[in-house]
Amino acid sequence: MLKTLGRETKGFRLVSVLTPIFMIAEVIMEMIIPKLMASIIDNGVTPGNMQVIYTVGAQMVVAALFGLLFGILGAVAGSHAATGFARNLRRGMFRNIQTFSFANIDKYSTAGLVTRMTTDVTNIQNAYQMLLRMSVRAPASMIVALIMSYTINRRLANIYLIAVILLGCALAFIMSRATKYFGEAFRKYDDLNESVQENVSAIRVVKAYVREKFEGEKFRKASENVRNLLMRAELILAWNAPLMQLTVYSCILLISWIGAQLIVSSGATTFTTGDLMSMLSYCMNILMSLMMLSTVFVMITMSAASAKRVAEVLDEQSDLTNGENPVMEVRDGSVKFDHVSFAYKKDGEKALEDIDLDIKSGETIGIIGGTGSAKSSLVQLLPRLYDVTEGSVTIGGVDVRRYDLDTLRNNVAMVLQKNELFSGTIAENLRWGNPDATDAEIEDACKQACADEFVERFPDKYQTHIEQGGNNVSGGQKQRLCIARALLKKPRILILDDSTSAVDTATDAKIRHSFAEKIPGTTVFIIAQRISSVENADKVLVLDNGRVSGFDTPANLLKTNAIYQDVYNSQTKGSGDFDEKGGEA
């Protein structure tokens, strides 16, 4: 974990080293001041020598100014190092997430990833800054103060040593008890963020069903769980302050009492008033250093769980990688499934079993089947969103695992069931398919997807702003824009995963007709609920519980396949919903 996080300090290692150096320099300046103060009292104030007071006083001012300078430099360098470290952590996680396969992403919830990039990184940032500054300053201050105390009076210095040992044991006990609760609390943040995310993204449904109170109660329970765990941890940490104060005041009383006796008994010869003042100053330095260390321990305790969660994301390796000498060109859109089986988890139930298909380049393949028949799972194997468990999938005569991932995915355009648009203009969204696309190419893609019909009606046309998630366009409009975006890739294979479900039948027919005319060499896979969407396909694949029930022309399937017959009859005779026999996977 430490090695993983340490890699992300790159670019900020110099300031990370300079920060503790400045802190040590500040401590040295602070430790000089009590010694100079003793000299003023013993050699200046007591004998009434103003020259000593001026000289030593000037030295104290210089030491204080240098201490201030080193303190400022340490604070600036520490802040620069900590914020840079946090930036690198967020950037590193984000970049690594982009490489994840769907199988990797399935391990984490969206809310969990958001928590890691916000709350967890903030905890690590605060802890890192404390480590660079306080974890160096506090021990250095305590050690130097103890050494200086022993140079003044060994007997009184032993009081500090005993206090440090007792207080250190007490703090270690407190920290060990609080760690468990902080770890649990940060895991509960995922549930809290998930509740907020789910509520905001589905706010229209919440209001439509008048479920505000129910959602409010869910959030209350999630926030209450976090509060209870943090409260338990804070109640344990609350013992920190009174123990610290008890130790500080006890030491001050003992030093004052024993020191006064030494001054009186020795006639201020072996132990002077200035020495007592110095010992009291060192007392405060030592015990304040312990208080700083306790704060550092609290931050480390809070950030330990966060550090593990962040390192987990940074260490996660995509299970889909390029092999040696990857193929950089897709010859054509021919597809072959060679006895393919697939399961989402190792040793889990197979979603697909023994799929054996041979599809020629340029063919249009319709795919139908009941709910859970793994239609989406099948097509997700083509761009290697998942890898097969058994068998092989080849495109253009080459196993997809041998292709360069970018090359493969640039030649396999996929319009998923859940269409996503991003905030920006229509043109910017479409250029996700091809960043170098010209305005003419964009307009042509929209014509093929029948999106030009509504885009031209917008006052700003292709410069019309799309809100996040495409909330200011209808479902059908969103689907057509996503199809146009896919067409801009000019792919060898085009996959429409129930991508015209929100489009009327006439527009659906226009889109399919446009494909036949404009992209005859592209292999098209159409997952659909409507028979009309696949009845003109070259072949239709019927899936049943992850197995091939039929793969033939629509006309032949209508004669030989019971599932296809049932779907056809239910829709053409108007006798029910498709999902009575099976909906979309």
Side-chain angles (χ1 to χ4, degrees), residues 415 419 448-451 453-454 474-483 496 498-512 528-530 532-533:
V415 185
N419 298 285
Q448 291 181 53
C450 295
E453 299 174 0
F454 65 88
S474 70
Q477 291 172 338
K478 188 189 297 186
Q479 285 185 339
R480 284 181 275 177
L481 287 173
C482 290
I483 293 171
L496 303 179
D498 196 24
S499 303
T500 56
S501 58
V503 175
D504 62 87
T505 306
T507 303
D508 186 13
K510 286 182 183 178
I511 293 172
R512 286 184 281 108
Q529 296 181 7
R530 293 188 295 230
S532 60
S533 296

Side-chain angles (χ1 to χ4, degrees), residues 291-310:
M291 188 170 287
M292 289 180 195
L293 279 176
S294 70
T295 305
V296 171
F297 286 140
V298 171
M299 290 304 303
I300 292 174
T301 300
M302 293 175 64
S303 64
S306 295
K308 289 178 183 177
R309 286 156 54 84
V310 169

Side-chain angles (χ1 to χ4, degrees), residues 129-254:
Q129 186 168 9
M130 294 286 277
L131 282 171
L132 291 178
R133 298 183 62 201
M134 295 300 111
S135 66
V136 174
R137 190 184 191 284
S141 179
M142 185 171 62
I143 292 169
V144 173
L146 273 172
I147 292 171
M148 298 295 285
S149 298
Y150 272 101
T151 63
I152 296 172
N153 188 284
R154 184 178 299 272
R155 180 183 173 189
L156 292 178
N158 285 333
I159 296 174
Y160 299 149
L161 187 60
I162 294 169
V164 167
I165 294 172
L166 292 176
L167 193 57
C169 293
L171 290 176
F173 176 75
I174 289 172
M175 293 305 107
S176 65
R177 296 294 301 273
T179 301
K180 178 181 70 174
Y181 293 115
F182 278 123
E184 292 179 12
F186 291 127
R187 284 192 292 272
K188 290 293 182 182
Y189 269 119
D190 289 353
D191 297 335
L192 188 67
N193 285 345
E194 189 171 0
S195 176
V196 174
Q197 180 191 3
E198 188 176 54
N199 181 267
V200 172
S201 61
I203 192 65
R204 289 171 174 80
V205 178
V206 173
K207 291 187 174 296
Y209 285 87
V210 196
R211 298 289 282 176
E212 291 91 343
K213 289 184 179 179
F214 174 77
E215 288 295 315
E217 183 63 19
K218 275 175 58 180
F219 181 81
R220 188 194 67 78
K221 288 180 180 178
S223 60
E224 189 67 21
N225 286 335
V226 174
R227 189 193 77 88
N228 288 337
L229 288 168
L230 291 177
M231 180 66 75
R232 290 181 186 180
E234 293 294 342
L235 285 174
I236 295 171
L237 292 177
W239 287 95
N240 186 28
L243 278 175
M244 191 66 64
Q245 290 179 350
L246 176 64
T247 306
V248 169
Y249 293 138
S250 297
C251 286
I252 290 174
L253 286 172
L254 283 171

Side-chain angles (χ1 to χ4, degrees), residues 264-537:
V264 172
S265 62
S266 67
T269 55
T270 59
F271 192 76
T272 65
T273 304
D275 291 335
L276 177 61
M277 294 299 295
S278 295
M279 291 295 290
L280 289 172
S281 296
Y282 289 133
C283 172
M284 293 305 297
N285 279 320
I286 290 169
L287 298 172
M288 287 304 295
S289 296
L290 278 174
M291 188 170 287
M292 289 180 195
L293 279 176
S294 70
T295 305
V296 171
F297 286 140
V298 171
M299 290 304 303
I300 292 174
T301 300
M302 293 175 64
S303 64
S306 295
K308 289 178 183 177
R309 286 156 54 84
V310 169
E312 185 181 2
V313 176
L314 290 172
D315 285 334
E316 182 78 24
Q317 296 295 317
S318 175
D319 53 9
L320 301 180
T321 56
N322 288 338
E324 293 184 7
N325 302 316
V327 178
M328 303 301 292
E329 182 181 359
V330 179
R331 188 182 64 197
D332 56 48
S334 60
V335 175
K336 183 176 182 180
F337 288 83
D338 187 8
H339 299 287
V340 168
S341 294
F342 170 70
Y344 281 98
K345 295 181 180 178
K346 290 182 179 179
D347 302 324
E349 184 179 352
K350 291 180 179 178
L352 293 166
E353 190 167 357
D354 197 29
I355 306 296
D356 203 33
L357 303 170
D358 198 346
I359 299 163
K360 296 177 182 178
S361 182
E363 285 189 325
T364 297
I365 306 298
I367 304 176
I368 64 170
T371 300
S373 60
K375 302 184 294 296
S376 295
S377 300
L378 178 75
V379 295
Q380 286 175 358
L381 299 176
L382 294 174
R384 278 195 80 193
L385 299 179
Y386 293 96
D387 264 343
V388 298
T389 306
E390 298 173 13
S392 64
V393 178
T394 61
I395 295 177
V398 178
D399 192 315
V400 293
R401 289 169 289 196
R402 291 183 52 206
Y403 280 113
D404 172 72
L405 271 173
D406 289 345
T407 300
L408 175 64
R409 290 174 181 172
N410 278 327
N411 282 275
V412 180
M414 189 169 186
V415 185
L416 298 167
Q417 281 179 312
K418 186 178 180 182
N419 298 285
E420 291 290 347
L421 293 176
F422 299 87
S423 55
T425 65
I426 289 177
E428 288 171 346
N429 268 277
L430 294 176
R431 283 195 172 98
W432 272 65
N434 180 2
D436 300 321
T438 64
D439 291 342
E441 288 174 325
I442 288 175
E443 291 176 13
D444 185 57
C446 284
K447 286 178 182 177
Q448 291 181 53
C450 295
D452 61 316
E453 299 174 0
F454 65 88
V455 172
E456 293 294 337
R457 292 199 298 267
F458 291 141
D460 296 326
K461 295 184 171 51
Y462 291 93
Q463 297 306 312
T464 300
H465 182 75
I466 298 293
E467 294 178 4
Q468 184 179 2
N471 291 330
N472 60 331
V473 291
S474 70
Q477 291 172 338
K478 188 189 297 186
Q479 285 185 339
R480 284 181 275 177
L481 287 173
C482 290
I483 293 171
R485 181 173 64 190
L487 290 171
L488 278 173
K489 295 180 75 170
K490 298 178 181 177
R492 299 283 189 186
I493 297 172
L494 176 63
I495 301 169
L496 303 179
D497 188 354
D498 196 24
S499 303
T500 56
S501 58
V503 175
D504 62 87
T505 306
T507 303
D508 186 13
K510 286 182 183 178
I511 293 172
R512 286 184 281 108
H513 180 71
S514 174
F515 287 170
E517 284 189 348
K518 300 290 186 179
I519 52 172
T522 299
T523 306
V524 180
F525 290 85
I526 302 174
I527 297 176
Q529 296 181 7
R530 293 188 295 230
I531 281 290
S532 60
S533 296
V534 299
E535 63 183 357
N536 293 319

